[in-house]
């Protein structure tokens, strides 16, 4: 359902959401700074974020109780979540992220962390019609948090991933073989995924990305440029 915002701008419901495993790790404070920031940013687009966070928190606690020192069975998480699905979500979690502001491409958690707006960042050339800005580097697996700003209708070359890649759309849209991703949608790609993306027509696309290890570009031009791009 499309709900009008106070400013009259129609917002599209978020259809590509992060999995419960991410929310449990977020609620438990087990994520790196970069991971927590992209998860909080994604949650700021979801109306049911407080309920989902409470559920994730409860699921994490229940899981720990059930394990009680035993090794986790492969389906333990799924069984615990299935159990919790039948329960009413608890009251809003105290860690509720701020709602994204209308008309501002940066979600509140990211804007607060940066302390500045999208046009005040130091964007550098990444490729034809594409600019990037590196925001953070750390955590396990050589994690990098960065933003992509691309013109409408731009192709992002075919690439693989050394680890998990999370891409959160902040403005415009992105299309790849897994679907069309709009504002607030997040895509999770694991190391076995190889994909090319294209930005939507009519509007620039701004994304927040968290990658692990170097991104492995496939085309020779992209490979040649990789040392200069620094991703
Ligand atoms: Zn990718």
């Amino acid at each position: 359902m499309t709900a009008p915002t106070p400013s009259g701008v129609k917002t599209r419901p978020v259809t590509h959401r992060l999995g419960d495993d991410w929310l449990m790790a977020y609620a438990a404070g087990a994520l790196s700074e970069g991971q927590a920031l992209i998860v909080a940013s994604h949650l700021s687009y979801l109306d049911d974020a407080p309920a989902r966070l409470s559920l994730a928190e409860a699921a994490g606690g229940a899981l720990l109780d059930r394990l009680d020192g035993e090794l986790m069975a492969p389906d333990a998480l799924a069984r615990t979540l299935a159990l919790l699905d039948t329960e009413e979500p608890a009251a809003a979690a105290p860690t509720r992220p701020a709602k994204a502001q209308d008309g501002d491409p940066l979600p509140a958690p990211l804007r607060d962390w940066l302390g500045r707006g999208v046009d005040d960042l130091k964007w550098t050339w990444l490729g034809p019609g594409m600019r990037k800005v590196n925001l953070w580097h750390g955590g396990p697996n050589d994690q990098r948090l960065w933003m992509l700003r691309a013109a409408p209708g731009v192709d992002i070359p075919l690439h693989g991933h050394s680890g998990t890649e999370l891409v959160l759309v902040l403005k415009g849209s992105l299309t790849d073989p897994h679907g069309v991703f709009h504002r607030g949608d997040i895509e999770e790609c694991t190391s076995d995924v190889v994909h090319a993306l294209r930005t939507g027509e009519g509007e620039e696309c701004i994304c927040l990305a968290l990658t692990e290890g170097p991104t492995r570009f496939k085309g020779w031009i992209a490979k040649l440029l990789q040392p200069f791009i620094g991703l």
Side-chain angles (χ1 to χ4, degrees):
M1 208 175 89
T2 305
T5 60
S7 63
V9 180
K10 298 232 171 179
T11 54
R12 178 188 293 267
V14 173
T15 50
H16 299 275
R17 292 159 168 249
L18 264 183
D20 290 316
D21 49 345
W22 279 101
L23 297 197
M24 282 171 64
Y26 176 77
L31 298 180
S32 70
E33 186 178 1
Q35 288 174 324
L37 194 55
I38 195 167
V39 172
S41 297
H42 170 59
L43 288 175
S44 73
Y45 294 100
L46 306 182
D47 288 332
D48 60 348
R52 285 198 67 198
L53 267 183
S54 298
L55 208 61
E57 220 161 3
L63 195 60
L64 288 177
D65 287 347
R66 285 163 71 100
L67 289 173
D68 198 23
E70 289 173 34
L71 280 177
M72 191 192 290
D75 61 340
L77 176 60
R79 278 189 287 113
T80 309
L81 288 172
L83 211 79
L84 284 159
D85 266 348
T86 58
E87 293 174 12
E88 283 292 306
T95 47
R96 177 182 185 160
K99 286 281 287 178
Q101 285 175 4
D102 295 324
D104 188 327
L106 295 186
L110 181 61
R111 168 173 281 273
D112 290 349
W113 186 83
L114 289 168
R116 68 191 82 180
V118 74
D119 291 323
D120 301 321
L121 298 170
K122 273 186 124 185
W123 296 95
T124 57
W125 187 86
L126 174 62
M130 290 184 280
R131 285 177 291 162
K132 61 137 182 162
V133 59
N134 294 328
L135 303 182
W136 173 86
H137 180 206
N141 306 326
D142 194 20
Q143 295 173 10
R144 284 157 203 274
L145 187 74
W146 56 284
M147 283 168 77
L148 169 74
R149 191 170 197 177
V154 160
D155 288 308
I156 296 161
L158 189 70
H159 63 272
H161 313 92
S162 304
T164 299
E165 178 189 72
L166 294 178
V167 176
L168 171 67
V169 177
L170 309 180
K171 185 181 181 188
S173 65
L174 267 183
T175 302
D176 80 351
H178 307 119
V180 185
F181 296 82
H182 296 276
R183 184 171 179 266
D185 285 334
I186 197 162
E187 177 169 29
E188 179 178 2
C189 289
T190 45
S191 53
D192 53 335
V193 171
V194 174
H195 65 159
L197 302 107
R198 186 175 169 81
T199 61
E201 304 290 341
E203 191 181 17
E204 70 167 343
C205 179
I206 300 177
C207 308
L208 178 65
L210 186 100
T211 48
E212 290 180 335
T215 304
R216 302 193 306 269
F217 286 99
K218 301 293 174 189
W220 68 270
I221 294 177
K223 269 185 184 163
L224 204 69
L225 288 173
Q226 186 153 32
F228 302 100
I229 294 166
L231 293 177

